[in-house]
Amino acid sequence: FFSSRRRHTRLQGDWSSDVCSSDLQKLKESQPYLERAKELNQKKTEDDKSIYQTTLNLLKQLYARTNQMDKYNEIKAEMEK
């Protein structure tokens, strides 16, 4: 999903690193699809729970990398429930 052209960061899990412009465009284009996937997968079965958590994780990374910190914090709080 994300390009391997990620710049070096201090921590492996640090998704707040700079994103090249082509990656940023891909992220922005994927956002409405991931947000819709989140709406559709509301943890009905065990498989849905796994898909839902994966979708939340992708959205959290997307919001961090595109500096949408309000949305990032919402997703983070939801994942901690």
Side-chain angles (χ1 to χ4, degrees), residues 7-62:
R7 295 185 183 151
H8 288 286
T9 59
R10 282 181 249 172
L11 300 173
Q12 177 101 8
D14 181 7
W15 290 99
S16 62
S17 63
D18 291 340
V19 179
C20 74
S21 61
S22 64
D23 286 350
L24 188 58
Q25 184 59 36
K26 289 175 191 173
L27 287 172
K28 288 180 179 178
E29 290 171 1
S30 70
Q31 184 171 337
Y33 299 103
L34 288 170
E35 289 172 341
R36 181 67 177 139
K38 177 183 173 276
E39 291 174 23
L40 294 173
N41 292 306
Q42 294 296 320
K43 305 186 247 183
K44 296 176 187 116
T45 66
E46 283 303 312
D47 286 341
D48 290 340
K49 289 178 187 178
S50 175
I51 293 168
Y52 189 72
Q53 288 300 314
T54 299
T55 303
L56 289 179
N57 191 41
L58 288 169
L59 280 169
K60 186 174 116 178
Q61 293 174 25
L62 183 150

